Amino acid sequence: MRLGAVPLDRGVIKAIGLVCLADGIVGLSYGSLAAAEGFPLWVPLMLSTLVLAGASEFLFIGIVAGGGSPVTAAAAGLLVNARHLPFGIAVKDLVGQGGRSLLGCHIMNDESVVFGISQAQLAQRRAAYWVCGLGIFAIWPLSVISGAFIGRFIPDVSVIGLDAVFPAILIALIFPALRQRRTRLPAMIGTALSVCVTPFVPAGMPVLFSLLGLLGWRERKDAQ
């Protein structure tokens, strides 16, 4: 299937759409939380547009709402986003060149990187990276604004389970790949490591530890 000039398979387009939808639902939760904590609308709006990193934004709101300084909150957010350094190396051929690379780097997130590097050909990798990145870039601020308005009527959206939608959709997307042993073993190792460190590290950091699961990757025919 071709989406205009985008050489992407129908299944990839569908998966990107589902992830963008899930991000939008999480954005509703984030906007509602920010409003419930008393932040003016421009704060989550600016964060969602300029930072465009959900984990760091949640962390920033949480630290400031708990009495911490904005400087401390920003520093914690930078620490969480340290994972973008290896991400940048992985997608250096996908972000474009010149002025375009500024936007290409800005839309770099966990989802766009995963879709980008998982395609077989360079043109497909670039297309998947940009479609996913721009999709999230569009839906995240809109959902955050919507969530801020919803938060005026439902101060605690966690009670309706919106925060569980995103991981549920991701699990559904990756489940078919887990049938292969060479994929299942690294996934299990990474999951175990991230769960173990979650009580001890800031939000967003466990994903870095989960990358150690790649040590269990084996390129063997008998591992299929």
Side-chain angles (χ1 to χ4, degrees), residues 125-136:
R125 291 197 292 271
R126 285 175 177 165
Y129 177 83
W130 279 88
V131 170
C132 183
L134 290 175
I136 292 176

Side-chain angles (χ1 to χ4, degrees), residues 68-129:
S69 71
V71 175
T72 301
L78 289 174
L79 178 62
V80 170
N81 274 0
R83 66 185 187 278
H84 284 198
L85 295 177
F87 284 177
I89 297 175
V91 299
K92 61 183 178 64
D93 296 328
L94 310 182
V95 298
Q97 299 179 346
R100 184 184 180 187
S101 65
L102 296 177
L103 177 59
C105 292
H106 186 57
I107 63 174
M108 181 174 61
N109 51 58
D110 299 1
E111 298 89 334
S112 62
V113 170
V114 168
F115 278 109
I117 65 177
S118 63
Q119 307 307 306
Q121 300 178 0
L122 179 59
Q124 294 173 326
R125 291 197 292 271
R126 285 175 177 165
Y129 177 83

Side-chain angles (χ1 to χ4, degrees), residues 14-32:
K14 180 179 179 180
I16 290 176
L18 287 173
V19 166
C20 288
L21 175 61
D23 266 41
I25 295 174
V26 175
L28 291 175
S29 178
Y30 166 57
S32 177

Side-chain angles (χ1 to χ4, degrees), residues 178 183-198 205-217:
L178 297 179
T183 303
R184 185 169 61 251
L185 181 60
M188 292 175 63
I189 295 174
T191 300
L193 288 173
S194 61
V195 169
C196 289
V197 302
T198 295
M205 290 298 290
V207 67
L208 294 178
F209 290 89
S210 69
L211 294 176
L212 295 175
L214 293 175
L215 297 175
W217 182 272

Side-chain angles (χ1 to χ4, degrees), residues 164-178:
V165 174
F166 185 63
I169 290 180
L170 288 183
I171 291 174
L173 290 174
I174 68 172
F175 188 77
L178 297 179

